Amino acid sequence: MSTIFGEKVRCIRIREGLTQPEFSELTGISLNTIKNFEVKGREITSQNLHLITNHSRLQKYALWLMTGQVAPSAGQVSPADTENTTSLRNTIVGILESVETTGALLTPEQTADLILEQLSTRK
């Protein structure tokens, strides 16, 4: 496995607000192993990837960790995603779906107004 996995695991750990010892305790991966792939760039075994991607708190990063892709509608995000980004995306998708269903054609300004209206009602 490439050292890119170590960098990605580090991003996940930081996004989750965990120290290396906390991440070790959470996943069952030894602290030395975590340091080896985060800091020293050593390869991650498939067993350790399995421990990370199958942990209930970390499953949301599985697709991104393995492929670099995200699928928010399936609950698959990257560490860079935030609740606000996901909320905004869901609002936009909802508007586009309703426009598609009704067949209405909206100008960019009308679309922006609808998005802002939807966001103001979610607060």
Side-chain angles (χ1 to χ4, degrees), residues 4-63:
I4 190 82
F5 285 103
E7 295 169 17
K8 285 182 167 184
V9 168
R10 182 175 182 275
C11 289
I12 291 169
R13 179 181 61 75
I14 290 169
R15 175 68 172 112
E16 289 296 310
L18 298 169
T19 63
Q20 287 180 336
E22 291 168 334
F23 193 79
S24 171
E25 186 176 327
L26 181 75
T27 61
I29 300 170
S30 77
L31 180 57
N32 282 339
T33 299
I34 290 169
K35 288 179 180 179
N36 281 337
F37 57 73
E38 276 194 20
V39 179
K40 297 180 181 177
R42 298 230 174 109
E43 294 184 359
I44 299 177
T45 65
S46 58
Q47 179 182 1
N48 287 332
L49 280 173
H50 179 79
L51 289 171
I52 295 167
T53 58
N54 284 290
H55 189 282
S56 61
R57 181 171 172 181
L58 307 174
Q59 284 177 338
K60 61 189 169 194
Y61 303 114
L63 181 64

Side-chain angles (χ1 to χ4, degrees), residues 58-115:
L58 307 174
Q59 284 177 338
K60 61 189 169 194
Y61 303 114
L63 181 64
W64 176 80
L65 181 60
M66 300 305 293
T67 68
Q69 302 295 312
V70 296
S73 61
Q76 291 293 300
V77 298
S78 79
D81 289 338
T82 64
E83 289 180 25
N84 290 336
T85 302
T86 302
S87 176
L88 177 59
R89 182 190 180 284
N90 291 340
T91 297
I92 293 169
V93 168
I95 290 169
L96 294 175
E97 286 173 347
S98 68
V99 168
E100 184 178 64
T101 302
T102 63
L105 296 175
L106 299 176
T107 66
E109 292 79 12
Q110 290 170 317
T111 303
D113 289 343
L114 279 173
I115 291 170

